[in-house]
Amino acid sequence: MPVNIEILIGDATPFSIVDFPDHIAAVAFLQGCPWRCPFCYNASLQPVKSEGQPMWTFEKFLNFLQRRKGVLDAVVFSGGEPLMQKGLLDAVLAVKDLGYVIGLHTGGYRPDALIKVLPYIDWAGLDIKGPKAKYKALTGGFDAFSDMEKSLDLLLQSGIHFECRTTCDPRGLTVDDLFELGTFLKNKGVKEYYLQKYRPIEDDKTTSDSACESLISDEKLISFLSGAFEKFEVRR
Ligand code: SF4
């Protein structure tokens, strides 16, 4: 039966054990992101329309999920920015109907969209770009901090399992920024926080691996963050 849900899949991963804790998931990378983070690994997903014919229609994705029941147990909606998609709620419901648990990766763009899907989400990963004063630079010129904060508050109020994580690009973040951000998240009541090592993207000729490593290796910072959250790790 044709599926008429307005959702654009830029790419998909049929099998992942790293995108949803303790689950074997398929990941749908949804096309389109409003932001332009300088450290973006998925720049091809930024435009609201992909170039050429997409590899995956939502119908094809659902058929794939139907066949993989019993092998996979979860589906993650990632991006791009999933909360941009008009059909996200319908897509989540269609996948949930197949018996999958649902994960969401988001930067917290559009809390009004998050509030609609939140009752059907089983786990979320919220990307926190940096401290308030740097948010504009870290999202490529957007005043996005208050939307992220509202989304964070919604996740906290919902009681669902979620993590916060920050990509540590030394071009835009310092150790002091990460102290400030960690303090902000601790005071909010966040339980799980991860620092992710930045691996210089192709266009970035200015950063070295040692600068990336140094930012996530500061002993005082790591000790502070380890004590501030129930779960904290550096992901390399
Ligand atoms: S929010 Fe994510 S997908 Fe969008 S530009 Fe930033 S890193 Fe890329």
Side-chain angles (χ1 to χ4, degrees), residues 67-183:
R67 294 194 304 275
R68 297 308 295 266
K69 282 202 303 193
V71 179
L72 305 170
D73 60 354
V75 173
V76 178
F77 289 89
S78 186
E81 173 49 73
L83 296 178
M84 276 190 88
Q85 302 272 337
K86 284 201 183 110
L88 182 63
L89 176 59
D90 288 339
V92 165
L93 292 175
V95 171
K96 218 164 173 71
D97 259 4
L98 294 178
Y100 287 97
V101 295
I102 307 289
L104 176 72
H105 293 174
T106 178
Y109 169 80
R110 289 201 52 199
D112 60 317
L114 178 62
I115 206 166
K116 289 183 189 147
V117 293
L118 205 41
Y120 310 102
I121 301 294
D122 300 283
W123 172 85
L126 179 65
D127 291 325
I128 314 279
K129 308 296 179 184
K132 186 174 184 176
K134 290 202 167 170
Y135 235 76
K136 201 165 181 177
L138 292 166
T139 53
F142 296 85
D143 278 322
F145 184 86
S146 70
D147 279 343
M148 177 281 293
E149 187 176 14
K150 281 182 201 150
S151 292
L152 172 60
D153 289 340
L154 286 171
L155 286 166
L156 286 162
Q157 286 155 17
S158 74
I160 73 160
H161 179 200
F162 76 98
E163 68 177 38
C164 293
R165 61 275 183 102
T166 299
T167 300
C168 298
D169 178 353
R171 296 172 303 168
L173 288 171
T174 64
V175 168
D176 284 349
D177 291 333
L178 294 174
F179 265 109
E180 185 183 335
L181 191 50
T183 305

Side-chain angles (χ1 to χ4, degrees), residues 49-67:
K49 285 209 166 123
S50 53
E51 284 175 18
Q53 198 65 15
M55 292 252 303
W56 291 86
T57 60
F58 189 61
E59 189 172 352
K60 182 176 166 186
F61 190 60
L62 276 186
N63 288 337
F64 163 78
L65 293 177
Q66 185 83 47
R67 294 194 304 275

Side-chain angles (χ1 to χ4, degrees), residues 180-198:
E180 185 183 335
L181 191 50
T183 305
F184 166 77
L185 294 173
K186 174 180 186 274
N187 291 342
K188 279 283 185 185
V190 168
K191 303 268 187 292
E192 277 186 50
Y193 184 48
Y194 301 94
L195 296 185
Q196 301 181 152
K197 181 176 178 179
Y198 169 65

